Amino acid sequence: MALQCGIVGLPNVGKSTLFNCLSNAKAQAANFPFCTIEPNVGVITVPDERLTKLAEIIHPGRIVPTTVEIVDIAGLIRGASKGEGLGNKFLANIRETDAIIHVLRCFDDGNITHVNGSIDPVRDKEEVDAELQLRDLETIESRISKVEKLAQVGGEKNAKITFEVLSKYKDVLNQGKSARTVSFESKEEQAVARDLFLLTNKPIMYVCNVDDASVVKGNDYVEAVKKVAKEEHAEVIVVAAKTEADIAELETYEDRQLFLQELGLEESGVSRLIKSAYKLLDLETFITAGPMEVKAWTYHKGWKAPQCAGVIHTDFEKGFIRAEVIKYEDYLKYASEAAIREAGKLNIEGKDYIVQDGDIMHFRFNV
């Protein structure tokens, strides 16, 4: 399940530095715009302490975490929607991603040039938003011209629904707001909205890149971002990209933890960011556990047991009979499958069972 989060932002806000911390793929991090021309893709391991704790009980041959793809997209500039700079290519790269991580510069440093000459993360956010909104508006206006007459005639129901959805989006975009601020109640409208693949309708998370002094408590820049992000119901993560780069260079887990403790942090910003990106994509994890391996599997929140079985192998879904499910907390408590069975904590679930995050599962099937 290769789902992608795209990292966007203006030039010189710390995007590529952050990407380098996230991935072994090294994007060029330099103090000038357009240093990343082709999108860099990194397959990122999703941190999951549950796998480690299960492995301490089971002692498997290996631990296999799940992953998510992160794409570093070159910095957007004003006029990108009209093809300025490398705008057309940048916007096409964003369109291919499933969610957006928008990095905002929330630190002062006279040695690092800002493309707009001053630090104002809210202005920077709005500048990128405006370019994406303008491109979405072009998409909407193009579609409206094709369905408006059909909708007015009234003979085609789908055309009327599509026209209403397009009109709502057009009104919002003309107000300088993103498509994600619009909600639709009917399934028909929701289906039309999804099929438009609007840039500003993608799930988004804002990453405030701060200096060391602000990594724990934030600063005024961060508070300003949180205020505007609240209107979009978007999450805000605070990260010091330069510090994360220093942490990434440390050889051992113990050294990294000591470094974090000195900063007053329990977990690295990169770890928090990856977990949040995973949730942003509406993903959860079920686990298979045995002597060969403890493995995490990615599925979409709300999926039923047969669909999750299909993540392992299509035959598992086709011939699904039942799922044997152990709750993670019960596995830790009883420490063996035999004890879990004896305690009556192994549940037999059928085709309608909605899988829960952290479920430890064994599928029975027949093809």
Side-chain angles (χ1 to χ4, degrees), residues 15-29 39-44 70-72:
K15 286 189 313 86
S16 295
T17 301
L18 187 60
F19 176 82
N20 288 341
C21 299
L22 289 166
S23 172
N24 289 327
K26 298 297 181 182
Q28 182 187 2
N40 292 265
V41 180
V43 179
I44 313 301
I70 304 289
V71 186
D72 180 27

Side-chain angles (χ1 to χ4, degrees), residues 47 205 215 235-240 244 265-278:
M205 171 173 60
V215 72
E235 186 175 359
V236 176
I237 299 288
V238 178
V239 171
E244 295 294 326
L265 299 172
E266 293 181 3
E267 188 177 25
S268 74
V270 163
S271 181
R272 287 186 288 110
L273 174 57
I274 296 170
K275 290 177 180 178
S276 296
Y278 193 69

